[in-house]
DNA sequence: TTGTGTGCAAAGGGTTTGCATTAAT
DNA sequence: ATTAATGCAAACCCTTTGCACACAA
């Protein structure tokens, strides 16, 4: 939040009530919401706030490196916004409840190194998604049978 | 191709000239084309063949497990169709020339196992994308300076 | 007061669908 | 002869954009 205000000021930007609200809501959502999902919540507290404002704010945050975006493999082909720490991290998505768990692993560097040695490319970033059932959903599907 | 015909017949489907052409073109394209890219080529040989037919054929192939789809991180948010061997594999994308290199690594299993042990999830599949510069584009950017 | 950000409506790009017609079986 | 698949156009969904007004600085 401080971060956001600082960046706004340093480029002649303005802190509007809309930007503040969108940013706050985004940080409270621990999942990786779509623009529409952010809008749905934000809109309850500010009924006039328009979806296009949500997009514009999200894009500005993206450009500033305060959020990043992802596409998970899902039916509706929508972009998801990730407001957590900007360092590289990866995602597990539960295919039953859609819950997202973030993770990291030193093996990822091994993969990058191995691939670099094999092919001579320069790897700049990696994005890993794991899909499956979270512990809760496994339990539930067992119980249900 | 045989595979495709077999599946068509086994479910009362028909092998049309359009399906044959789309499938052939798709397999000759070693990259991971968008529907529009497939259409552009296919359309040269069959000017009446409509984009919606490309989509329908691609979706049918996807459903049959003969192609899979991906989203790479790129400006235009388009789906890419992958006709290579259906076994799990992963992708490096050159951010300069868009070239795609497929790869695999035993470390991927380590990542899955590690994450499973840590969290109790059941991992069903993984999708890894690496981004960077391929060897050619590195050489070119050096030469260009 | 100044000009950035907003609300709104309309356009945009990628993908899907309904329907009359064509063509594989 | 049947009925699945196609061509076409229109609809769809997600996202962006143009413009007049509002409001943070």
């Amino acid at each position: 939040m401080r971060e956001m205000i600082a960046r706004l000021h340093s480029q002649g930007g303005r802190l509007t009530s809309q930007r503040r609200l969108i940013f706050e809501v985004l940080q409270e959502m621990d999942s990786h919401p779509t623009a529409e999902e952010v809008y749905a919540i934000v809109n309850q507290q500010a009924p006039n706030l328009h979806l296009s404002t949500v997009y514009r704010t999200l894009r500005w945050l993206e450009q500033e490196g305060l959020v990043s975006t992802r596409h998970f493999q899902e039916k509706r082909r929508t972009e998801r916004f990730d407001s957590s720490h900007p360092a590289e991290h990866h995602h597990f998505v539960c295919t039953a409840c859609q819950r997202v768990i973030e993770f990291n692993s030193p093996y990822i560097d091994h993969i990058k190194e191995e691939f670099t040695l094999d092919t001579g490319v320069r790897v700049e970033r990696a994005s890993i998604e794991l899909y499956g059932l979270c512990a809760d959903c496994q339990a539930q599907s067992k119980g249900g049978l």
Side-chain angles (χ1 to χ4, degrees), chain A:
Chain A
M1 189 69 211
R2 297 219 164 291
E3 186 73 21
M4 183 190 186
I5 295 174
R7 300 211 187 190
L8 280 170
H9 286 164
S10 75
Q11 46 185 79
R14 292 169 187 183
L15 179 63
T16 60
S17 60
Q18 292 91 333
R19 296 225 250 232
R20 164 176 272 130
L21 179 59
I22 291 167
F23 192 62
E24 284 171 1
V25 163
L26 185 63
Q27 288 191 312
E28 278 164 22
M29 299 179 79
D30 52 348
S31 99
H32 292 63
T34 64
E36 299 263 8
E37 286 165 354
V38 173
Y39 173 66
I41 294 188
V42 142
N43 191 246
Q44 289 168 11
Q45 297 170 60
N48 289 331
L49 202 165
H50 200 273
L51 178 58
S52 65
T53 299
V54 173
Y55 273 109
R56 280 191 276 232
T57 299
L58 256 18
R59 291 293 171 223
W60 179 81
L61 290 166
E62 179 184 13
Q63 187 184 298
E64 292 300 308
L66 297 175
V67 316
S68 60
T69 62
R70 311 231 161 296
H71 279 282
F72 297 136
Q73 307 220 177
E74 50 191 335
K75 299 250 165 60
R76 304 164 80 242
R77 57 203 132 72
T78 60
E79 203 167 1
R80 294 188 168 272
F81 295 84
D82 181 348
S83 66
S84 58
H85 48 93
E88 187 173 287
H89 62 273
H90 307 279
H91 300 88
F92 166 87
V93 183
C94 176
T95 53
C97 70
Q98 293 0 293
R99 187 213 301 216
V100 176
I101 304 174
E102 303 188 344
F103 72 95
N104 232 317
S105 164
Y107 289 121
I108 295 166
D109 289 331
H110 294 157
I111 292 175
K112 293 184 190 176
E113 282 161 24
E114 181 187 43
F115 187 67
T116 297
L117 290 174
D118 287 355
T119 63
V121 307
R122 185 192 325 170
V123 177
E124 269 146 16
R125 69 206 145 81
S127 176
I128 302 187
E129 299 88 44
L130 303 180
Y131 297 93
L133 288 179
C134 70
D136 290 355
C137 288
Q138 279 176 68
Q140 223 165 310
S141 72
K142 270 177 207 147
L145 294 180

